[in-house]
Amino acid sequence: MKGKKGSLVIKISIPSEKSPKQESGGDDSSPAARKWAREVWEFGKEDTNRVIFAVKVGLAVLLVSLLILIRSPYDVFGASIIWAILTVAIMFEYTVGATFNRGFNRALGSLLAGIFAVAVMQVAMACGHVAEPYIIGLSIFVIGAVTSFMKLYPSLVPYEYGFRVILFTYCLIIVSGYRMGTPIRTAMERIYSIGIGGITTLLVNAVIFPIWAGEQLHRELVGSFNAVADSLEECVRKYLADDGSGGQPDFSKNVMDDFADEPSFRKCRATLNSSTKLDTLASSAKWEPPHGRFRQLFYPWAEYVKVGAVLRHCAYEVMALHGCLHSEIQAPYNLRCAFGPEILDVADQAAELLRSLGKDISNMKQSLHTSLLNRVHLSADRLQASIDMHSYLLTSGHDFPAHPLPPGQPSDDKTASGNCNAQPADSYHEAMRKQQRRLFSWPSREVDDYEDGGVHDSEAIQRMRTLESTAALSLATFTSLLIEFVVRLDHLVDAAELLAKMAKFKEEAGKS
Amino acid sequence: MKGKKGSLVIKISIPSEKSPKQESGGDDSSPAARKWAREVWEFGKEDTNRVIFAVKVGLAVLLVSLLILIRSPYDVFGASIIWAILTVAIMFEYTVGATFNRGFNRALGSLLAGIFAVAVMQVAMACGHVAEPYIIGLSIFVIGAVTSFMKLYPSLVPYEYGFRVILFTYCLIIVSGYRMGTPIRTAMERIYSIGIGGITTLLVNAVIFPIWAGEQLHRELVGSFNAVADSLEECVRKYLADDGSGGQPDFSKNVMDDFADEPSFRKCRATLNSSTKLDTLASSAKWEPPHGRFRQLFYPWAEYVKVGAVLRHCAYEVMALHGCLHSEIQAPYNLRCAFGPEILDVADQAAELLRSLGKDISNMKQSLHTSLLNRVHLSADRLQASIDMHSYLLTSGHDFPAHPLPPGQPSDDKTASGNCNAQPADSYHEAMRKQQRRLFSWPSREVDDYEDGGVHDSEAIQRMRTLESTAALSLATFTSLLIEFVVRLDHLVDAAELLAKMAKFKEEAGKS
């Protein structure tokens, strides 16, 4: 009985153990499924164009299928109409321009393949029945090898798909022509069929809620401007706020997990990697007719790529600034705070200019950025002047980190670490100037020490001092990179203004 | 007569004018054709894999076509064998891994499409003849929309081709099944046919002179190491050799024409843009069986991508150094020469370490790089110490450019501009130390001037001085970036050693 009871207990306990598992399993899978569904929903909501695109593809395939599902067109076109479906499935691209481009590739490829096939077929038939299969086989080999070689050629890479089309269309026409003996009819039927598929694709893609590559390119470029501006601000703010207490996470770990705590940086790096995307969109946009906001014939899409290239060269400086931020040798927090207001001013002005450029492109307005550019230059000059005036802090201030901070600079107040920029600049500069005089009258004892002997004894001290000095110089690096960024903004403004001029953006007299 | 003569002269002169034109036109077109042919020849010679690939495609297409050209297999397989040709043309990729990947996409896509089609067909037939076309039409629409939406989803983007295959295979099977009434037989015939095409493609691609994605990835990574090393050396050498007399070409022009005079820089920038290429090759390489030098099962191809990412983070510093080189504010030539030997030493050591890392990966050897790394660190320390010791030159030396150079420094000898590094460092440093003492005893008159008044008068002078100081600081930036580059090398060595460990490279005891 006891054993039975025991087994009973066990029996009871097993299901009771299982049931929560099953429940939790059920809970796990149900939220997982729900989470997945929500993710898909969010993905669609994020950009409704994705849903539109999907519905359009469904519609285009359905339309072409109707030609077969309904009796009368099937009787007219026959079985070769299935090629129309293949054409839709292969040709339908996300943007109108890409679809046009692919359609052009397919049309030209099919046409060339048809011409080759008919020509070779005539030659083969003229050579008699024995030679015919050899000639056809040789021609297939040659076409296969030549198209494959040509599509690797750098300038022909964009037409890769066209070469594929030539290859398989040629093979299909010539082989079925050989077996059925009517190459021209086979070619013609296939071309009709492909034409129907192609036209359906183009119409559905370009007429029903068209997704223009030009519009995408436009938005992508504007987004890049904002990404670089955000990233610059984020980087500078983090540089000034970081008092070294938190400790930087390991660099190599960061490289792997994409600096998870810096969303703008990731966007900026995405901008750096977006050159291919811009190129693709621009080459697709060239195929699009004037549309929407871009009513000009021969709209200068290539200029977008150029502006993107100059912007990327600005973004390289942001990457270098970011490198300074994550560098292992860091300028002391006090020193960073000392130049905080000026650095922040330059970054804010530069970011404002970037956003203004982006906004003008976004609104297709043409306005002069001279006043903004002047302000950026002024603040950069101020930063330079400030660095110049207090340059002793950067290099000869060997004992700077040990110095007590001037009154009014809350160094040990950690809650104020983010607010060091609120410090009025003038009073602090006043205090620094006094320090400067003291330093200039300082005897260069330590250097003499090193020179006259005791090198072995003071090597460790020397090493320490070098590190400290380099730490201070890292601030000079940060500011130099920032100033170099500002210098590159000139080129960016030039490129953006050239784009505005060539694309004939609306001129705005009020803004200067 | 005179008029006639004149006209005769003119008449004569016209053809004589034309004929050289025609001749030159003939010469132009013939060398153009010859040039083009030579270019194509060079393109093939540059990488014979291209020719091998082209011949292999031709062979694969020919093999499949034989199934139709020869009577007996055609009698067995029938007309549906043309799908084998389509499969070869679409599936044949450059590398073995990519072909396997595409084959997998095609096989799974076709299988899923076949299953869907048969299932829907059964349902549709069960619903009676009236409802059948509606159900089929609806299912085509749904499949078209769902596959198109899913292929946009970021994690499913690599399977884009698979979704395309599902879509068109489904449509083809269900539509021709509807018209011919034998969906299962249609599906089966097509799957046989696709199978034959796929197997032919895989065999030809993997057996005859296979081009492995893993090998390509391996070479690409080694090439990246060399590109970064070359670019670093090129950049540093140019920085030290440039005496400002030549004048930098316009920056924005350079952005457009890709810095035509700096081949290594372009390679380095290509490295920065190669992240997609490495990803693609690594994802292809995963599909490849153990082969050649890579005999380990589950070879860590993903580590290559990680090493590439760390290397890219090193290359960002090279880009920033390059930015310094092309910056508009430049440190005076004398100053650059002063630190020349140390800068050059760091660059050479760093480049040597990079090349050694690249060579070890290339030879699949595992060796310790501690001695090389130590040497790089030592030279970086030396550079830091040197900068620290002469930091007055960088910041407070307002009038440095006007200073006469110490004896032994040929400043006006332009032919020696590239040789300034040959200067023995010690004697120059000796001279600088003397200068340093002088500067430290210098009264800080100019700063006092600025402080006590006369700000408006001396504004222009102040501006000039600031520029000069910033110019000198740009050298500090250059060296800081170089040192940051060295710091990042640690991470690179770690990543490379992890790769060596995981890929079980041969250990080499002799080297340290």
Side-chain angles (χ1 to χ4, degrees), chain A residues 23 36 55 68 74 109 158 164 169 177 181 203 205 256 264 267 272 304 309 339 346 360 362 392 394 421 489 494 497:
Chain A
E23 264 173 39
W36 182 81
V55 171
I68 305 174
Y74 182 76
R164 259 185 221 274
T169 310
L203 281 180
N205 203 333
M256 291 312 133
S264 306
K267 264 194 265 167
L272 283 181
Y304 278 80
F339 297 100
V346 174
D360 273 6
S362 171
Y392 61 94
L394 299 180
N421 321 314
L489 284 181
D494 286 350
E497 281 178 357

Side-chain angles (χ1 to χ4, degrees), chain B residues 209 298 485:
Chain B
F209 295 110
F298 303 112
F485 181 83

Side-chain angles (χ1 to χ4, degrees), chain B residues 209-323:
Chain B
F209 295 110
I211 301 165
W212 302 102
E215 185 71 38
Q216 303 274 325
L217 176 61
H218 192 83
R219 275 193 214 158
E220 188 75 22
L221 187 68
V222 172
S224 296
F225 272 94
N226 292 332
V228 174
D230 289 349
S231 180
L232 177 71
E233 282 194 335
E234 180 188 72
C235 181
V236 167
R237 264 168 226 286
K238 224 175 158 189
Y239 186 73
L240 295 176
D242 173 37
D243 59 352
S245 60
Q248 289 292 331
D250 188 37
F251 171 80
S252 59
K253 205 190 134 218
N254 262 333
V255 171
M256 292 311 133
D257 73 353
D258 282 344
F259 295 92
D261 56 331
E262 290 164 39
S264 307
F265 167 70
R266 271 149 64 211
K267 264 195 265 168
C268 180
R269 200 166 54 172
T271 301
L272 283 181
N273 292 333
S274 71
S275 62
T276 333
K277 198 175 175 188
L278 287 187
D279 283 344
T280 314
L281 282 176
S283 66
S284 293
K286 271 179 218 151
W287 287 93
E288 291 173 354
H291 59 270
R293 303 188 275 170
F294 315 102
R295 283 200 207 101
Q296 188 188 328
L297 220 65
F298 303 112
Y299 192 83
W301 296 116
E303 284 303 310
Y304 278 80
V305 177
K306 283 185 193 164
V307 174
V310 179
L311 182 63
R312 223 153 41 236
H313 269 260
C314 293
Y316 285 133
E317 294 298 317
V318 177
M319 292 301 288
L321 283 172
H322 190 262

Side-chain angles (χ1 to χ4, degrees), chain B residues 346 349-350 353 372-381 486 489:
Chain B
V346 174
Q349 300 284 355
L353 176 60
L372 264 175
L373 198 59
N374 276 343
R375 256 194 283 162
V376 178
H377 279 291
L378 264 178
S379 58
D381 285 349
V486 169
L489 284 181

Side-chain angles (χ1 to χ4, degrees), chain A residues 39-40 43-44 50-51 53-55 57-59 61-62 65 68-71 74 82 85-86 89-90 92-94 133 136-137 140-141 144-145 148-149 152-154 164 167-168 171-172 175 178-179 250-252 255-256 259 269 272-273 275 306 309-310 313 316-317 319-320 323 327-329 381 384-385 387-389 391 395-396 398 430 433 436-437 440 442 447-448 450-451 462-463 465-466 469-470 473 476-477 480-481 484 487-488 491, chain B residues 39-40 43-44 50-51 53-55 57-59 61-62 65 68-71 74 82 85-86 89-90 92-94 133 136-137 140-141 144-145 148-149 151-154 164 167-168 171-172 175 178-179 250-252 255-256 259 269 272-273 275 306 309-310 313 316-317 319-320 323 327-329 381 384-385 387-389 391 395-396 398 430 433 436-437 440 442 447-448 450-451 463 465-466 469-470 473 476-477 480-481 484 487-488 491:
Chain A
E39 261 178 21
V40 170
F43 179 73
R50 289 165 182 156
V51 182
F53 167 69
V55 171
V57 175
L59 187 68
V61 185
L62 180 63
S65 299
I68 305 174
L69 291 177
I70 299 171
R71 187 87 232 171
Y74 182 76
I82 53 169
I85 297 179
L86 203 72
I90 287 176
F92 212 107
E93 292 281 327
Y94 191 66
I136 290 174
I140 287 174
F141 175 79
S148 303
F149 185 76
L152 294 177
Y153 207 73
R164 259 185 221 274
L167 174 58
F168 71 72
C171 291
L172 291 178
V175 157
Y178 174 68
R179 275 292 155 215
D250 188 39
F251 170 80
S252 59
V255 172
M256 291 312 133
F259 296 91
R269 201 166 54 173
L272 283 181
N273 292 333
S275 62
K306 283 184 194 165
V310 179
H313 269 262
Y316 285 132
E317 294 298 318
M319 292 301 289
S327 169
E328 270 154 46
I329 303 162
D381 284 349
Q384 281 190 356
I387 290 276
D388 175 48
M389 208 180 298
S391 54
T395 49
S396 19
H398 299 316
E430 197 61 44
R433 260 177 230 134
Q436 188 174 27
R437 274 198 217 105
F440 264 88
W442 203 271
V447 176
D448 286 350
Y450 180 68
E451 212 177 317
Q462 172 66 22
R463 183 76 191 267
R465 224 179 54 193
T466 309
S469 164
T470 316
L473 263 183
T477 307
S480 292
L481 289 172
E484 176 65 26
V487 171
R488 291 193 179 186
H491 301 296
Chain B
E39 261 177 25
V40 170
F43 179 71
R50 290 165 181 156
V51 181
F53 166 70
V55 171
V57 175
L59 188 67
V61 186
L62 179 63
S65 299
I68 305 174
L69 291 177
I70 298 171
R71 187 87 233 173
Y74 181 74
I82 52 168
I85 298 179
L86 203 70
I90 287 176
F92 213 106
E93 292 281 327
Y94 191 67
I136 290 174
I140 287 174
F141 175 79
S148 302
F149 185 76
K151 76 183 176 189
L152 294 177
Y153 207 75
R164 258 184 221 274
L167 174 58
F168 72 71
C171 291
L172 291 178
V175 157
Y178 174 69
R179 275 293 154 214
D250 188 37
F251 171 80
S252 59
V255 171
M256 292 311 133
F259 295 92
R269 200 166 54 172
L272 283 181
N273 292 333
S275 62
K306 283 185 193 164
V310 179
H313 269 260
Y316 285 133
E317 294 298 317
M319 292 301 288
S327 168
E328 270 156 44
I329 304 163
D381 285 349
Q384 280 190 356
I387 289 276
D388 175 49
M389 209 180 297
S391 52
T395 48
S396 19
H398 299 315
E430 197 61 44
R433 260 175 230 136
Q436 187 173 29
R437 278 199 214 106
F440 265 89
W442 203 273
V447 176
D448 286 350
Y450 180 69
E451 210 178 319
R463 183 76 192 268
R465 225 179 52 193
T466 309
S469 165
T470 317
L473 263 183
T477 307
S480 293
L481 290 172
E484 176 65 26
V487 170
R488 292 196 178 184
H491 301 295

Side-chain angles (χ1 to χ4, degrees), chain A residues 243-492:
Chain A
D243 59 352
S245 60
Q248 290 292 333
D250 188 39
F251 170 80
S252 59
K253 206 188 133 219
N254 262 334
V255 172
M256 291 312 133
D257 72 355
D258 281 344
F259 296 91
D261 56 331
E262 290 163 39
S264 306
F265 168 71
R266 270 148 66 212
K267 264 194 265 167
C268 179
R269 201 166 54 173
T271 301
L272 283 181
N273 292 333
S274 70
S275 62
T276 332
K277 199 174 173 188
L278 287 187
D279 283 345
T280 314
L281 282 176
S283 66
S284 293
K286 271 179 218 151
W287 287 93
E288 291 173 355
H291 60 271
R293 304 188 276 171
F294 314 103
R295 282 198 209 103
Q296 188 188 328
L297 220 65
F298 302 113
Y299 192 84
W301 295 116
E303 284 303 310
Y304 278 80
V305 177
K306 283 184 194 165
V307 174
V310 179
L311 183 63
R312 223 153 42 236
H313 269 262
C314 292
Y316 285 132
E317 294 298 318
V318 177
M319 292 301 289
L321 283 172
H322 190 263
C324 268
L325 172 66
H326 285 273
S327 169
E328 270 154 46
I329 303 162
Q330 283 294 341
Y333 175 60
N334 311 335
L335 196 56
R336 276 180 271 163
C337 270
F339 297 100
E342 284 89 356
I343 293 177
L344 205 64
D345 190 41
V346 174
D348 284 344
Q349 300 284 354
E352 198 191 329
L353 176 61
L354 276 173
R355 289 213 185 85
S356 157
L357 284 172
K359 208 179 149 197
D360 273 6
I361 293 180
S362 171
N363 297 334
M364 303 185 75
K365 270 183 200 155
Q366 196 171 1
S367 61
L368 287 171
H369 295 276
T370 35
S371 84
L372 264 175
L373 197 60
N374 276 343
R375 258 194 282 162
V376 178
H377 278 290
L378 265 178
S379 57
D381 284 349
R382 249 190 319 255
L383 175 62
Q384 281 190 356
S386 166
I387 290 276
D388 175 48
M389 208 180 298
H390 312 299
S391 54
Y392 61 94
L393 285 174
L394 299 180
T395 49
S396 19
H398 299 316
D399 46 353
F400 174 81
H403 263 306
L405 272 173
Q409 181 70 11
S411 82
D412 45 1
D413 184 4
K414 277 201 178 158
T415 56
S417 65
N419 301 329
C420 67
N421 321 314
Q423 191 68 17
D426 286 332
S427 69
Y428 189 45
H429 286 173
E430 197 61 44
M432 277 197 171
R433 260 177 230 134
K434 279 173 203 146
Q435 275 193 355
Q436 188 174 27
R437 274 198 217 105
R438 196 156 60 87
L439 272 168
F440 264 88
S441 58
W442 203 271
S444 54
R445 202 185 51 80
E446 279 148 308
V447 176
D448 286 350
D449 249 13
Y450 180 68
E451 212 177 317
D452 301 330
V455 179
H456 296 290
D457 294 340
S458 65
E459 208 165 86
I461 301 168
Q462 172 66 22
R463 183 76 191 267
M464 284 274 288
R465 224 179 54 193
T466 309
L467 251 176
E468 271 173 20
S469 164
T470 316
L473 263 183
S474 97
L475 183 76
T477 307
F478 193 85
T479 52
S480 292
L481 289 172
L482 199 57
I483 287 162
E484 176 65 26
F485 180 82
V486 169
V487 171
R488 291 193 179 186
L489 284 181
D490 284 8
H491 301 296
L492 187 62

Side-chain angles (χ1 to χ4, degrees), chain A residues 158-196:
Chain A
Y159 307 104
E160 196 260 348
Y161 176 66
F163 287 111
R164 259 185 221 274
V165 170
I166 291 181
L167 174 58
F168 71 72
T169 310
Y170 178 81
C171 291
L172 291 178
I173 291 176
I174 207 158
V175 157
S176 49
Y178 174 68
R179 275 292 155 215
M180 296 162 205
T182 49
I184 293 175
R185 225 193 109 205
T186 315
M188 279 298 137
E189 269 179 3
R190 201 140 298 160
I191 282 169
Y192 279 140
S193 183
I194 290 170
I196 290 170

